[in-house]
Amino acid sequence: SLTEAGQTFHERAAQVVADVAEAEAMAGAQSVRPQGLLRISAPLSFGTRTLGKLLPDFRKRYPDIRLDLDLTDRLVDLTHEGIDLALRIARAPSPNLIVRKIAPVRIIACATPQHLDCFGRPEVPEDLIAHPTLSYAYLTSGDAWTFRREDGALETVRITPAVRATNGDLLKDLAIEAGGVIVQPDFIVADDIAAGRLERIMPDWEMEAFNLYAVYLSRKFLSAKARVFIDFLVDRLGHPA
């Protein structure tokens, strides 16, 4: 039987053969049917909450594409880890990668009504200093939270988090059960805000804009399977509705 290293080599070599076949079909002006293994990295909460709901339709549309999903909030190395494309939520992705914007992601500051009844409802970012905060460890700005007012004014507040964690769902659950202010993407907190478990704070202030991007290594040799996956996400997520 194959060793783990041998299995990895076999999978990568088989993918190279598939890519060559695809290139030959394109050179011969033949129609290229998306197929083969597509390795994708995506943020954990986005993967479980949003991507998981979309994949059944994608699988029905492209049954010959096999998916290998790595759900993690860390920044994977696409080259060393053999990832075809990664989905990342960021203000600006790495300049070393090819990117395609898929959809805007709204970041919302919120807390439970009970917490706000106890600590007061912040009106400006500086008020957050008086609140326990729960911080997402991979936020690019770290513990410096920057907000923009409707008139364009910017204000940055440096927090000292009571808890720092690498997953937004954990922080959201902790905020609901034990209190504290969080800043999290709408796809994590929207349902709890609608149900009254969380309350948006400082409605005149917004966190700086983030976007969901597809990132990959080469625009020139993007495979058909990666291209149709990105197009599918743009079609399903890239519209205001």
PDB file of all heavy atoms in Angstrom, residues 28-55:
ATOM      1  N   GLY A  28      -6.609  22.431 -28.862  1.00  0.00           N
ATOM      2  CA  GLY A  28      -7.291  21.842 -29.998  1.00  0.00           C
ATOM      3  C   GLY A  28      -8.664  22.414 -30.231  1.00  0.00           C
ATOM      4  O   GLY A  28      -9.439  21.852 -31.006  1.00  0.00           O
ATOM      5  N   ALA A  29      -8.985  23.508 -29.526  1.00  0.00           N
ATOM      6  CA  ALA A  29     -10.276  24.181 -29.655  1.00  0.00           C
ATOM      7  C   ALA A  29     -11.434  23.251 -29.318  1.00  0.00           C
ATOM      8  O   ALA A  29     -12.534  23.392 -29.841  1.00  0.00           O
ATOM      9  CB  ALA A  29     -10.439  24.755 -31.064  1.00  0.00           C
ATOM     10  N   GLN A  30     -11.174  22.262 -28.465  1.00  0.00           N
ATOM     11  CA  GLN A  30     -12.241  21.387 -28.017  1.00  0.00           C
ATOM     12  C   GLN A  30     -12.909  21.996 -26.793  1.00  0.00           C
ATOM     13  O   GLN A  30     -12.309  22.775 -26.062  1.00  0.00           O
ATOM     14  CB  GLN A  30     -11.685  20.005 -27.663  1.00  0.00           C
ATOM     15  CG  GLN A  30     -10.925  19.322 -28.794  1.00  0.00           C
ATOM     16  CD  GLN A  30     -10.245  18.064 -28.311  1.00  0.00           C
ATOM     17  OE1 GLN A  30     -10.642  17.459 -27.334  1.00  0.00           O
ATOM     18  NE2 GLN A  30      -9.186  17.675 -29.018  1.00  0.00           N
ATOM     19  N   SER A  31     -14.144  21.623 -26.557  1.00  0.00           N
ATOM     20  CA  SER A  31     -14.821  22.088 -25.345  1.00  0.00           C
ATOM     21  C   SER A  31     -14.206  21.397 -24.143  1.00  0.00           C
ATOM     22  O   SER A  31     -13.954  20.193 -24.164  1.00  0.00           O
ATOM     23  CB  SER A  31     -16.323  21.784 -25.416  1.00  0.00           C
ATOM     24  OG  SER A  31     -16.549  20.396 -25.512  1.00  0.00           O
ATOM     25  N   VAL A  32     -13.919  22.154 -23.105  1.00  0.00           N
ATOM     26  CA  VAL A  32     -13.296  21.621 -21.899  1.00  0.00           C
ATOM     27  C   VAL A  32     -14.367  21.407 -20.848  1.00  0.00           C
ATOM     28  O   VAL A  32     -15.020  22.357 -20.409  1.00  0.00           O
ATOM     29  CB  VAL A  32     -12.211  22.586 -21.370  1.00  0.00           C
ATOM     30  CG1 VAL A  32     -11.603  22.038 -20.085  1.00  0.00           C
ATOM     31  CG2 VAL A  32     -11.145  22.799 -22.425  1.00  0.00           C
ATOM     32  N   ARG A  33     -14.568  20.177 -20.453  1.00  0.00           N
ATOM     33  CA  ARG A  33     -15.539  19.871 -19.405  1.00  0.00           C
ATOM     34  C   ARG A  33     -14.834  19.952 -18.054  1.00  0.00           C
ATOM     35  O   ARG A  33     -13.865  19.229 -17.821  1.00  0.00           O
ATOM     36  CB  ARG A  33     -16.118  18.476 -19.608  1.00  0.00           C
ATOM     37  CG  ARG A  33     -17.197  18.117 -18.595  1.00  0.00           C
ATOM     38  CD  ARG A  33     -17.699  16.715 -18.816  1.00  0.00           C
ATOM     39  NE  ARG A  33     -16.638  15.738 -18.569  1.00  0.00           N
ATOM     40  CZ  ARG A  33     -16.778  14.423 -18.750  1.00  0.00           C
ATOM     41  NH1 ARG A  33     -17.911  13.956 -19.242  1.00  0.00           N
ATOM     42  NH2 ARG A  33     -15.787  13.614 -18.506  1.00  0.00           N
ATOM     43  N   PRO A  34     -15.257  20.843 -17.164  1.00  0.00           N
ATOM     44  CA  PRO A  34     -14.599  20.949 -15.862  1.00  0.00           C
ATOM     45  C   PRO A  34     -14.660  19.619 -15.118  1.00  0.00           C
ATOM     46  O   PRO A  34     -15.731  19.041 -14.937  1.00  0.00           O
ATOM     47  CB  PRO A  34     -15.415  22.027 -15.141  1.00  0.00           C
ATOM     48  CG  PRO A  34     -16.069  22.800 -16.237  1.00  0.00           C
ATOM     49  CD  PRO A  34     -16.358  21.803 -17.311  1.00  0.00           C
ATOM     50  N   GLN A  35     -13.497  19.133 -14.707  1.00  0.00           N
ATOM     51  CA  GLN A  35     -13.431  17.866 -14.010  1.00  0.00           C
ATOM     52  C   GLN A  35     -12.147  17.797 -13.218  1.00  0.00           C
ATOM     53  O   GLN A  35     -11.257  18.628 -13.353  1.00  0.00           O
ATOM     54  CB  GLN A  35     -13.497  16.705 -15.014  1.00  0.00           C
ATOM     55  CG  GLN A  35     -12.387  16.719 -16.047  1.00  0.00           C
ATOM     56  CD  GLN A  35     -12.541  15.607 -17.058  1.00  0.00           C
ATOM     57  OE1 GLN A  35     -12.691  14.447 -16.689  1.00  0.00           O
ATOM     58  NE2 GLN A  35     -12.527  15.952 -18.356  1.00  0.00           N
ATOM     59  N   GLY A  36     -12.056  16.780 -12.363  1.00  0.00           N
ATOM     60  CA  GLY A  36     -10.859  16.569 -11.576  1.00  0.00           C
ATOM     61  C   GLY A  36     -10.994  17.114 -10.174  1.00  0.00           C
ATOM     62  O   GLY A  36     -12.044  17.588  -9.744  1.00  0.00           O
ATOM     63  N   LEU A  37      -9.888  17.062  -9.440  1.00  0.00           N
ATOM     64  CA  LEU A  37      -9.856  17.454  -8.040  1.00  0.00           C
ATOM     65  C   LEU A  37      -9.593  18.950  -7.898  1.00  0.00           C
ATOM     66  O   LEU A  37      -8.652  19.475  -8.503  1.00  0.00           O
ATOM     67  CB  LEU A  37      -8.769  16.663  -7.304  1.00  0.00           C
ATOM     68  CG  LEU A  37      -8.611  16.949  -5.806  1.00  0.00           C
ATOM     69  CD1 LEU A  37      -9.864  16.554  -5.038  1.00  0.00           C
ATOM     70  CD2 LEU A  37      -7.385  16.214  -5.255  1.00  0.00           C
ATOM     71  N   LEU A  38     -10.409  19.629  -7.115  1.00  0.00           N
ATOM     72  CA  LEU A  38     -10.246  21.061  -6.849  1.00  0.00           C
ATOM     73  C   LEU A  38     -10.031  21.247  -5.355  1.00  0.00           C
ATOM     74  O   LEU A  38     -10.906  20.950  -4.545  1.00  0.00           O
ATOM     75  CB  LEU A  38     -11.484  21.834  -7.302  1.00  0.00           C
ATOM     76  CG  LEU A  38     -11.477  23.352  -7.086  1.00  0.00           C
ATOM     77  CD1 LEU A  38     -10.342  24.002  -7.877  1.00  0.00           C
ATOM     78  CD2 LEU A  38     -12.815  23.971  -7.464  1.00  0.00           C
ATOM     79  N   ARG A  39      -8.848  21.722  -5.001  1.00  0.00           N
ATOM     80  CA  ARG A  39      -8.514  21.944  -3.594  1.00  0.00           C
ATOM     81  C   ARG A  39      -8.793  23.397  -3.234  1.00  0.00           C
ATOM     82  O   ARG A  39      -8.257  24.314  -3.856  1.00  0.00           O
ATOM     83  CB  ARG A  39      -7.053  21.605  -3.319  1.00  0.00           C
ATOM     84  CG  ARG A  39      -6.744  20.110  -3.375  1.00  0.00           C
ATOM     85  CD  ARG A  39      -5.305  19.847  -2.946  1.00  0.00           C
ATOM     86  NE  ARG A  39      -5.055  18.435  -2.749  1.00  0.00           N
ATOM     87  CZ  ARG A  39      -4.594  17.622  -3.706  1.00  0.00           C
ATOM     88  NH1 ARG A  39      -4.347  18.107  -4.907  1.00  0.00           N
ATOM     89  NH2 ARG A  39      -4.385  16.355  -3.451  1.00  0.00           N
ATOM     90  N   ILE A  40      -9.622  23.586  -2.192  1.00  0.00           N
ATOM     91  CA  ILE A  40     -10.090  24.921  -1.812  1.00  0.00           C
ATOM     92  C   ILE A  40      -9.825  25.136  -0.328  1.00  0.00           C
ATOM     93  O   ILE A  40     -10.081  24.255   0.497  1.00  0.00           O
ATOM     94  CB  ILE A  40     -11.604  25.072  -2.080  1.00  0.00           C
ATOM     95  CG1 ILE A  40     -11.928  24.798  -3.548  1.00  0.00           C
ATOM     96  CG2 ILE A  40     -12.106  26.450  -1.663  1.00  0.00           C
ATOM     97  CD1 ILE A  40     -13.400  24.612  -3.811  1.00  0.00           C
ATOM     98  N   SER A  41      -9.349  26.320   0.005  1.00  0.00           N
ATOM     99  CA  SER A  41      -9.238  26.737   1.407  1.00  0.00           C
ATOM    100  C   SER A  41     -10.241  27.856   1.644  1.00  0.00           C
ATOM    101  O   SER A  41     -10.389  28.757   0.814  1.00  0.00           O
ATOM    102  CB  SER A  41      -7.820  27.241   1.714  1.00  0.00           C
ATOM    103  OG  SER A  41      -7.750  27.780   3.024  1.00  0.00           O
ATOM    104  N   ALA A  42     -10.960  27.799   2.781  1.00  0.00           N
ATOM    105  CA  ALA A  42     -11.972  28.809   3.085  1.00  0.00           C
ATOM    106  C   ALA A  42     -12.030  29.031   4.591  1.00  0.00           C
ATOM    107  O   ALA A  42     -11.721  28.126   5.372  1.00  0.00           O
ATOM    108  CB  ALA A  42     -13.338  28.370   2.559  1.00  0.00           C
ATOM    109  N   PRO A  43     -12.439  30.230   5.030  1.00  0.00           N
ATOM    110  CA  PRO A  43     -12.591  30.479   6.465  1.00  0.00           C
ATOM    111  C   PRO A  43     -13.602  29.506   7.078  1.00  0.00           C
ATOM    112  O   PRO A  43     -14.608  29.144   6.455  1.00  0.00           O
ATOM    113  CB  PRO A  43     -13.090  31.921   6.521  1.00  0.00           C
ATOM    114  CG  PRO A  43     -12.656  32.535   5.225  1.00  0.00           C
ATOM    115  CD  PRO A  43     -12.725  31.434   4.219  1.00  0.00           C
ATOM    116  N   LEU A  44     -13.342  29.106   8.313  1.00  0.00           N
ATOM    117  CA  LEU A  44     -14.146  28.068   8.958  1.00  0.00           C
ATOM    118  C   LEU A  44     -15.622  28.441   9.053  1.00  0.00           C
ATOM    119  O   LEU A  44     -16.500  27.696   8.611  1.00  0.00           O
ATOM    120  CB  LEU A  44     -13.576  27.765  10.351  1.00  0.00           C
ATOM    121  CG  LEU A  44     -14.353  26.772  11.203  1.00  0.00           C
ATOM    122  CD1 LEU A  44     -14.494  25.429  10.490  1.00  0.00           C
ATOM    123  CD2 LEU A  44     -13.664  26.584  12.559  1.00  0.00           C
ATOM    124  N   SER A  45     -15.935  29.586   9.641  1.00  0.00           N
ATOM    125  CA  SER A  45     -17.342  29.956   9.838  1.00  0.00           C
ATOM    126  C   SER A  45     -18.032  30.218   8.507  1.00  0.00           C
ATOM    127  O   SER A  45     -19.192  29.835   8.312  1.00  0.00           O
ATOM    128  CB  SER A  45     -17.451  31.190  10.742  1.00  0.00           C
ATOM    129  OG  SER A  45     -17.043  30.869  12.059  1.00  0.00           O
ATOM    130  N   PHE A  46     -17.344  30.855   7.567  1.00  0.00           N
ATOM    131  CA  PHE A  46     -17.934  31.063   6.250  1.00  0.00           C
ATOM    132  C   PHE A  46     -18.193  29.728   5.569  1.00  0.00           C
ATOM    133  O   PHE A  46     -19.232  29.531   4.929  1.00  0.00           O
ATOM    134  CB  PHE A  46     -17.021  31.926   5.381  1.00  0.00           C
ATOM    135  CG  PHE A  46     -17.506  32.084   3.970  1.00  0.00           C
ATOM    136  CD1 PHE A  46     -18.498  33.003   3.666  1.00  0.00           C
ATOM    137  CD2 PHE A  46     -16.985  31.303   2.941  1.00  0.00           C
ATOM    138  CE1 PHE A  46     -18.969  33.139   2.367  1.00  0.00           C
ATOM    139  CE2 PHE A  46     -17.451  31.432   1.648  1.00  0.00           C
ATOM    140  CZ  PHE A  46     -18.436  32.357   1.358  1.00  0.00           C
ATOM    141  N   GLY A  47     -17.269  28.794   5.735  1.00  0.00           N
ATOM    142  CA  GLY A  47     -17.439  27.490   5.107  1.00  0.00           C
ATOM    143  C   GLY A  47     -18.640  26.736   5.638  1.00  0.00           C
ATOM    144  O   GLY A  47     -19.422  26.162   4.874  1.00  0.00           O
ATOM    145  N   THR A  48     -18.801  26.731   6.959  1.00  0.00           N
ATOM    146  CA  THR A  48     -19.898  25.970   7.548  1.00  0.00           C
ATOM    147  C   THR A  48     -21.237  26.681   7.406  1.00  0.00           C
ATOM    148  O   THR A  48     -22.268  26.032   7.247  1.00  0.00           O
ATOM    149  CB  THR A  48     -19.615  25.696   9.034  1.00  0.00           C
ATOM    150  OG1 THR A  48     -19.395  26.942   9.725  1.00  0.00           O
ATOM    151  CG2 THR A  48     -18.381  24.815   9.210  1.00  0.00           C
ATOM    152  N   ARG A  49     -21.245  28.012   7.449  1.00  0.00           N
ATOM    153  CA  ARG A  49     -22.509  28.755   7.441  1.00  0.00           C
ATOM    154  C   ARG A  49     -23.003  29.077   6.030  1.00  0.00           C
ATOM    155  O   ARG A  49     -24.218  29.092   5.786  1.00  0.00           O
ATOM    156  CB  ARG A  49     -22.354  30.070   8.214  1.00  0.00           C
ATOM    157  CG  ARG A  49     -22.260  29.894   9.717  1.00  0.00           C
ATOM    158  CD  ARG A  49     -22.019  31.226  10.400  1.00  0.00           C
ATOM    159  NE  ARG A  49     -22.245  31.128  11.833  1.00  0.00           N
ATOM    160  CZ  ARG A  49     -23.424  31.312  12.404  1.00  0.00           C
ATOM    161  NH1 ARG A  49     -24.473  31.614  11.670  1.00  0.00           N
ATOM    162  NH2 ARG A  49     -23.555  31.198  13.704  1.00  0.00           N
ATOM    163  N   THR A  50     -22.110  29.363   5.124  1.00  0.00           N
ATOM    164  CA  THR A  50     -22.512  29.849   3.799  1.00  0.00           C
ATOM    165  C   THR A  50     -22.105  28.887   2.688  1.00  0.00           C
ATOM    166  O   THR A  50     -22.937  28.465   1.878  1.00  0.00           O
ATOM    167  CB  THR A  50     -21.904  31.239   3.535  1.00  0.00           C
ATOM    168  OG1 THR A  50     -22.314  32.139   4.572  1.00  0.00           O
ATOM    169  CG2 THR A  50     -22.353  31.787   2.188  1.00  0.00           C
ATOM    170  N   LEU A  51     -20.848  28.524   2.650  1.00  0.00           N
ATOM    171  CA  LEU A  51     -20.365  27.688   1.557  1.00  0.00           C
ATOM    172  C   LEU A  51     -21.049  26.324   1.552  1.00  0.00           C
ATOM    173  O   LEU A  51     -21.404  25.799   0.485  1.00  0.00           O
ATOM    174  CB  LEU A  51     -18.847  27.523   1.674  1.00  0.00           C
ATOM    175  CG  LEU A  51     -18.127  26.897   0.483  1.00  0.00           C
ATOM    176  CD1 LEU A  51     -18.362  27.713  -0.780  1.00  0.00           C
ATOM    177  CD2 LEU A  51     -16.635  26.783   0.772  1.00  0.00           C
ATOM    178  N   GLY A  52     -21.261  25.763   2.733  1.00  0.00           N
ATOM    179  CA  GLY A  52     -21.904  24.457   2.818  1.00  0.00           C
ATOM    180  C   GLY A  52     -23.298  24.432   2.215  1.00  0.00           C
ATOM    181  O   GLY A  52     -23.748  23.390   1.707  1.00  0.00           O
ATOM    182  N   LYS A  53     -23.991  25.574   2.253  1.00  0.00           N
ATOM    183  CA  LYS A  53     -25.345  25.638   1.680  1.00  0.00           C
ATOM    184  C   LYS A  53     -25.315  25.756   0.156  1.00  0.00           C
ATOM    185  O   LYS A  53     -26.302  25.434  -0.507  1.00  0.00           O
ATOM    186  CB  LYS A  53     -26.091  26.838   2.272  1.00  0.00           C
ATOM    187  CG  LYS A  53     -26.313  26.739   3.781  1.00  0.00           C
ATOM    188  CD  LYS A  53     -26.979  28.001   4.311  1.00  0.00           C
ATOM    189  CE  LYS A  53     -27.161  27.924   5.816  1.00  0.00           C
ATOM    190  NZ  LYS A  53     -27.759  29.163   6.378  1.00  0.00           N
ATOM    191  N   LEU A  54     -24.190  26.219  -0.386  1.00  0.00           N
ATOM    192  CA  LEU A  54     -24.095  26.415  -1.828  1.00  0.00           C
ATOM    193  C   LEU A  54     -23.546  25.190  -2.562  1.00  0.00           C
ATOM    194  O   LEU A  54     -23.840  24.985  -3.737  1.00  0.00           O
ATOM    195  CB  LEU A  54     -23.183  27.612  -2.127  1.00  0.00           C
ATOM    196  CG  LEU A  54     -23.611  28.960  -1.532  1.00  0.00           C
ATOM    197  CD1 LEU A  54     -22.569  30.022  -1.876  1.00  0.00           C
ATOM    198  CD2 LEU A  54     -24.973  29.372  -2.047  1.00  0.00           C
ATOM    199  N   LEU A  55     -22.753  24.382  -1.866  1.00  0.00           N
ATOM    200  CA  LEU A  55     -22.061  23.286  -2.538  1.00  0.00           C
ATOM    201  C   LEU A  55     -22.986  22.239  -3.157  1.00  0.00           C
ATOM    202  O   LEU A  55     -22.645  21.673  -4.205  1.00  0.00           O
ATOM    203  CB  LEU A  55     -21.079  22.624  -1.566  1.00  0.00           C
ATOM    204  CG  LEU A  55     -19.852  23.470  -1.214  1.00  0.00           C
ATOM    205  CD1 LEU A  55     -18.938  22.702  -0.274  1.00  0.00           C
ATOM    206  CD2 LEU A  55     -19.091  23.882  -2.465  1.00  0.00           C
TER     207      LEU A  55
END
